[in-house]
Amino acid sequence: MTEVSPIWYPFTQHGLNEAVPRIVSASGAWLTCADGTRLLDCIASWWVITHGHCEPRIAAAVAAQASVLDQIIFAGYSHPQADAVAQALVDIAPEGLSRVFFSDSGSTAVEVGLKMALGYWHNRGEARHRILVLEHSYHGDTIGAMSVGERGVFNAPYAPLLFDVATVPFPAAGAEQVSLDRLEALCAAPETPAAFIVEPLVLGSGGMLIYPPHVLRAMHEICARHGVLFIADEVMTGWGRTGTLFACEQAGIAPDLLCLAKGLTGGLVPLAATLATTEIFEAHRSTDRARMFFHSSSFTANPICCAAANANLAIWREEDVLGRVAALGAALDRGLAALATDPALRNPRRIGGIGAIDLEVKDAGYLSDVAPILRARALEKGLLLRPLGNTIYLMPPYCTTDDEVAAAFDTIGALIEPLARGAG
Ligand SMILES: *Cc1c(COP(=O)(O)O)cnc(C)c1O
């Protein structure tokens, strides 16, 4: 196949010449390709679409804002849409998060969180630089975000430039105490850490690895006791994905820093926010200009994106979004239960609107050969699926119906059969 497009795609090996369908429109849980075929968006277009594609209220807010105020420098200027988003976020976020810093993506929300944590200690005159991370985590693809994520094939070329972190083992079932003991030891070490960054309850890119709220609560308690800042990366878990608005709610914890992106606008346009406590904000407030928070990007708090976020926040206030997530969760459970009868499938798991199961393969891991095969076959059958190595997961928009979920599982079951028999 000769490539006709000059585009260099993300997370794509161009040498394999995999098909790149052109999507020309979307509505609800469905995508329409240039050739007219339709695809069910089983992964919410990479975990961003919450309610559904082209959600009418959000789409209308974007259209209206685009002809009123498109863009304005956000250093020294503000606008009503940003004021409204910030206040609404503080109102719904865990207690104590009183300041909102806008950026554009999950990676930048994480970078901002890390910089705020380091700035906090710097401005207090304490030399704390060490960041603690959870094994198998993912926080984005910029250098700082990669540094706090799992090391591997994804970042090997950049490894010499990534900063050093200390890793807490993933709290696998039965080994939770090992993780907590390690975290305790790292917090108590002479080189007191600056912060611990975690994906609450689910490690997404790490393979939809789920751990219980009581472990999250215990990790938070250890950090609080040692004065180590707790950064919750809810870029994926936020906005109902785990069955509550934020995953932290299930553990009853309030982090010091909270990173939001993806579903903040319902997924229609990019916007991110990092929420901070008064204490972290106050450590930067001074009459000394050298202590300000030195971070921005051109489109910080873009008014059109903020208008989308306000429309999303109104939906959350006025509609039973969590009821939809619960219904979706029940449909995922039924589908997973049916699939789990296949001996080649292991470890069915579900939290909120995320369901996952692992296919037994010889080459388990992100580069498992089974992932691109499944992806291509699912595409032929009308499903947008993107397995994480040998982990097959669904994270559909909340509008996806029971019948659509059931049909997706039927299709997946049929796709897996030849692979499971080794004939794939
Ligand atoms: C997707 C993701 C990010 C990165 O977000 P981008 O918007 O892709 O930069 C960070 N953290 C988590 C937990 C994510 O799932």
Side-chain angles (χ1 to χ4, degrees), residues 88-218:
L89 287 178
V90 167
D91 289 348
I92 59 174
E95 195 67 34
L97 293 164
S98 63
R99 290 282 165 172
V100 178
F101 189 94
F102 290 104
S103 62
D104 319 299
S105 72
S107 304
T108 54
V110 166
E111 297 278 352
V112 164
L114 294 170
K115 284 175 69 173
M116 283 178 174
L118 294 172
Y120 171 80
W121 294 114
H122 177 85
N123 291 345
R124 285 170 56 111
E126 278 189 57
R128 291 203 195 188
H129 305 108
R130 191 178 220 197
I131 307 290
L132 307 183
V133 307
L134 208 52
E135 182 192 18
H136 303 313
S137 36
Y138 174 79
H139 298 288
D141 289 331
T142 51
I143 296 282
M146 277 193 295
S147 295
V148 293
E150 182 82 353
R151 305 297 166 95
V153 65
F154 331 94
N155 43 43
Y158 332 111
L161 291 185
L162 303 184
F163 61 74
D164 244 358
V165 295
T167 305
V168 174
F170 176 76
E176 293 93 345
Q177 197 56 46
V178 177
S179 300
L180 297 177
D181 290 347
R182 177 81 181 133
L183 178 59
E184 179 81 48
L186 287 168
C187 286
E191 190 193 343
T192 313
F196 179 42
I197 181 165
V198 277
E199 290 162 90
L201 303 187
V202 196
L203 275 58
S205 301
M208 299 300 157
L209 304 175
I210 301 172
Y211 63 95
H214 73 86
V215 175
L216 178 61
R217 191 177 170 80

Side-chain angles (χ1 to χ4, degrees), residues 310-326:
N310 280 318
N312 174 47
L313 285 154
I315 289 172
W316 274 93
R317 281 189 295 269
E318 295 158 23
E319 299 181 21
D320 181 20
V321 181
L322 292 180
R324 283 176 212 144
V325 179

